Amino acid sequence: MRARTAVLLVAAVPAVLALRAGHWQLCADRHRITLSPRPLRSCPDCRGAGGWWVGGANPAMEACGCWSDRRELRIRLLPVPARPDETPF
């Protein structure tokens, strides 16, 4: 009976795993593992917000260098299935 319960618990785990530790975010699914940088809480420029709004006619958010200058790391696991360009009907 306990083995069946364990199998049900494993099946209930979501397909995507996301963890936040330190200044990185780890996301994992069946196709890839991604390690993404996060804004630094102690950054004197953005104060952990990740950027600031630049004013003008069309305001846009400018990313802070505390996280945008760092690379995102990816490990491919399974190939992503190809999607057709056109619908079949």
Side-chain angles (χ1 to χ4, degrees):
M1 210 42 136
R2 289 185 182 185
R4 176 183 267 173
T5 305
V7 170
L8 290 175
L9 288 175
V10 170
V13 174
V16 176
L17 174 70
L19 297 174
R20 293 182 181 182
H23 305 296
W24 296 91
Q25 180 175 355
L26 173 77
C27 294
D29 62 11
R30 58 189 280 188
H31 299 291
R32 71 191 64 82
I33 298 173
T34 307
L35 194 60
S36 305
R38 291 183 38 213
L40 302 175
R41 288 186 187 175
S42 61
C43 178
D45 296 329
C46 70
R47 297 182 184 93
W52 51 87
W53 290 97
V54 178
N58 297 321
M61 184 163 183
E62 185 174 331
C64 183
C66 70
W67 69 273
S68 65
D69 293 341
R70 293 187 284 163
R71 289 182 18 182
E72 177 179 273
L73 306 172
R74 287 187 183 181
I75 300 172
R76 290 180 50 192
L77 301 176
L78 292 174
V80 178
R83 295 184 180 153
D85 293 336
E86 295 183 13
T87 56
F89 43 88

